[in-house]
Structures are given as C-alpha cells and as structure tokens.
Amino acid sequence: MKLLFDFLPVILFFGMYKYAENHKDWAAATATDWLGFMVLGGQVGVKEAPVLLATVVVILATAAQIAWLLLRRRKVDAMLWVSLGLVVVLGGATIWFHSETFIKWKPSVLYWVMGVTFWASHTLFNKNLLQVLMGHQIDLPAPVWQRLNFAWVAFFGVMGLLNIYVAYSFSTDTWVNFKLFGGLGLMLLFMVGQGFYLSRHLKQEER
C-alpha cells in the first residue's frame, strides 16, 4: 500500500496523458482554457497538450498527498517534499515553455537526490538511513546494512540514468509507459531481490 501511495501521482500522470493523447483536440482546447495564462504565448498545441495536462495532474496529486498526510497528522517524508518541489519547478517550466524536457528530467533528479542522500548520510554523517528506517523491524550485522545501503545508492543512480536514456532515445509515449511500468516493475524486482538477500542473512542470524 505504501508503494501504491508513492506511485499514485505517476499513475494519475499516466492516466491523464493516455486520455489526452487519445483526445488531442479536447486536450489542446482544455489546456489552452485552463493553462493559457500560465504558458508562453497563451496557446497550447495538440502536440504538447497531453504532457502539459498530465504535468498539472501530477503537481496536484503530489500536493494532495502531502495535504492528506498533514490532515491525518502523519509524518511527511522528506523525499515527498523534495518531489513536490521538483515537480512544481520542473513541471512549471514544462508548462511555461511548452517543453516536455523539464518534466522528463524530474524522475532522474529525484532518483539522484535520494541516492546522494543515502550515500551522504552514511559517508559524511556515519548514519545508515536504511537501518534507521528498518532497524526496528529486523536485526542485521553492520556490514549487511552497509551493503544494502549502497545497493540502494546504486539502484537510484542507475534508475536516474535509465530514465534519461529512455527520455532521449524513444518517443514521449514510450517514456510515459516506462515511467509507470518500467519504474514500478524495476522497483519491485529490486525489492524482491533485496528480500532474498535479507532472508539469507536472517536465517544465518537465527542459527
């Protein structure tokens, strides 16, 4: 459920993009009516309208996530705040300049911010964020926590590069598909692999 909640803005981005892509005239007219005051020139064409509408949806969805957590008096993860900041800045640039380039960079920047955070917390402050998050649930030797931490650093780094590769090597439609299915699928595969690795060490600890 946590993973689904985290990916909700991406799912809504995907849904709006696909709908608008299949209704381009409606998308251009709606984007011009809703976003005309926010875009350079005041007119949105059929080519960029789907991305612009999807960008607005992902901004609103991310803001709604934070609002919902605050209303329920639950902690808002720092990365969710970072995600909101990135999507507002890069999404705003996408809308203003009619350019999908900015929003395509957002996943990579977020992945790299998370990777650098995991790396810097361990290297500079001698604090393993993964152990902080999961240490109360499982007991593992320090070297295992260290390997897991750097595995996440590597994963975030690779995901950021992969997103840029897909964004610049394939069509926007392919990138949108990868953003949801590729991102979610690779995340699940990585977590399953991590689960197998953890189970091996947990069995050793039980012995």
Side-chain angles (χ1 to χ4, degrees), residues 13-174:
F13 180 94
F14 175 85
M16 173 54 78
Y17 176 86
K18 291 298 183 179
Y19 181 84
E21 186 71 9
N22 292 323
H23 303 80
K24 290 186 176 180
D25 291 335
W26 169 87
T30 301
T32 298
D33 291 341
W34 290 2
L35 309 175
F37 70 98
M38 297 173 59
V39 301
L40 192 62
Q43 189 74 24
V44 180
V46 294
K47 182 179 179 180
E48 64 266 21
V51 170
L52 265 62
L53 288 175
T55 297
V56 171
V57 167
V58 80
I59 292 172
L60 294 176
T62 306
Q65 281 183 314
I66 291 178
W68 185 80
L69 289 172
L70 291 175
L71 286 173
R72 292 176 62 88
R73 296 185 178 180
R74 296 175 60 181
K75 180 182 177 181
V76 179
D77 293 337
M79 284 303 140
L80 186 54
W81 286 112
V82 172
S83 181
L84 177 62
L86 288 174
V87 80
V88 168
V89 173
L90 297 177
T94 289
I95 295 169
W96 175 253
F97 292 108
H98 301 218
S99 174
E100 61 199 28
T101 299
F102 298 99
I103 198 63
K104 284 182 175 180
W105 271 88
K106 185 262 178 181
S108 290
V109 175
L110 183 59
Y111 282 130
W112 292 335
V113 167
M114 290 191 290
V116 169
T117 301
F118 272 65
W119 173 83
S121 63
H122 181 272
T123 305
L124 302 180
F125 303 104
N126 198 30
K127 179 181 289 186
N128 189 309
L129 287 184
L130 203 60
Q131 186 174 4
V132 171
L133 294 172
M134 300 174 59
H136 63 287
Q137 298 175 344
I138 52 178
D139 185 25
L140 295 169
V144 176
W145 283 118
Q146 183 175 346
R147 287 194 288 270
L148 288 173
N149 188 73
F150 282 106
W152 277 98
V153 172
F155 175 76
F156 289 136
V158 170
M159 286 298 294
L161 292 173
L162 191 55
N163 175 72
I164 292 299
Y165 171 75
V166 174
Y168 282 95
S169 301
F170 300 94
S171 66
T172 298
D173 192 62
T174 300

Side-chain angles (χ1 to χ4, degrees), residues 192-203:
V192 168
Q194 181 179 249
F196 280 118
Y197 179 75
L198 283 173
S199 65
R200 186 178 67 181
H201 286 281
L202 286 174
K203 289 178 182 178

